[in-house]
């Protein structure tokens, strides 16, 4: 009997500033979309921040995701490390500035570090401290981003 080859999971890492709003929202939205497509088992989706200070995702981010039917797992903001970038197959930054911060220090990563702008033509706005409407707008941007990423990722398989 032939054994099935185990295909390694595709590792996607989302990056923003504090890892309390945009990148964890992207992480959970992508997991939700992949779950519905029955493809979640083929991916490892994580997030990190360039400058992490807070101990949890913002209440507004959690509420927007919950209101939109997104399943939330346990989450703790994580500081971005060189190892996390090296281990990822795809790094998606919320802004061009985030992308430049990574590739300036880690020049060998330019082929796998992208900004949201490169997928959708728009940077993902930072809703921190801007109220619920800003979080809802950010979630809308993130759904579009995740659709573009999944379309590209599943076509490349």
């Amino acid at each position: 009997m032939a054994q099935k080859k185990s295909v390694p999971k595709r590792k996607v890492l989302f990056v923003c500033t504090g890892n309390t709003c945009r990148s964890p929202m992207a992480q959970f939205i992508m997991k939700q979309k992949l779950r519905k497509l029955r493809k979640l088992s083929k991916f490892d989706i994580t997030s990190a921040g360039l400058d992490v200070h807070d101990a949890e995702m913002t209440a507004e981010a959690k509420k927007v995701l919950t209101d939109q039917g997104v399943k939330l797992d346990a989450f703790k903001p994580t500081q971005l490390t060189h190892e996390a970038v090296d281990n990822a197959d795809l790094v998606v930054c919320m802004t061009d500035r985030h992308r430049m911060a990574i590739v300036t220090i880690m020049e060998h990563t330019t082929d796998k570090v992208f900004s949201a702008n490169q997928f959708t033509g728009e940077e993902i706005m930072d809703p921190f401290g801007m109220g619920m409407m800003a979080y809802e707008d950010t979630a809308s941007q993130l759904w579009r981003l995740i659709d573009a990423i999944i379309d590209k990722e599943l076509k490349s398989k």
Side-chain angles (χ1 to χ4, degrees), residues 15-16 50 80 85 91-107 109-119 123:
V15 177
C16 69
L50 294 174
L80 183 68
V85 174
V91 180
V92 181
C93 301
M94 298 298 114
T95 67
D96 294 331
R97 195 182 103 254
H98 293 137
R99 180 184 179 278
M100 286 307 300
I102 295 170
V103 299
T104 299
I105 295 168
M106 301 178 70
E107 293 176 12
T109 65
T110 57
D111 62 334
K112 68 177 178 180
V113 180
F114 297 89
S115 69
N117 191 27
Q118 291 173 281
F119 285 95
E123 293 194 344

Side-chain angles (χ1 to χ4, degrees), residues 10-95:
R10 183 102 165 117
K11 295 177 181 166
V12 179
L13 172 65
F14 290 101
V15 177
C16 69
T17 305
N19 196 217
T20 59
C21 307
R22 294 171 287 182
S23 58
M25 289 172 74
Q27 174 184 345
F28 290 122
I29 289 170
M30 186 160 184
K31 283 183 176 183
Q32 183 78 13
K33 295 281 285 190
L34 289 168
R35 195 176 291 114
K36 285 188 175 182
L37 293 169
R38 299 177 190 260
K39 301 284 187 188
L40 183 57
S41 64
K42 296 178 186 282
F43 292 86
D44 181 18
I45 314 298
T46 58
S47 65
L50 294 174
D51 190 24
V52 175
H53 295 286
D54 294 317
E56 61 183 291
M57 185 174 9
T58 65
E60 296 91 343
K62 289 179 189 176
K63 177 162 178 29
V64 166
L65 293 177
T66 303
D67 288 353
Q68 294 181 359
V70 175
K71 181 180 183 273
L72 301 179
D73 303 322
F75 179 82
K76 185 177 190 294
T78 304
Q79 180 66 45
L80 183 68
T81 63
H82 287 258
E83 182 181 16
V85 174
D86 283 335
N87 289 335
D89 297 306
L90 174 65
V91 180
V92 181
C93 301
M94 298 298 114
T95 67

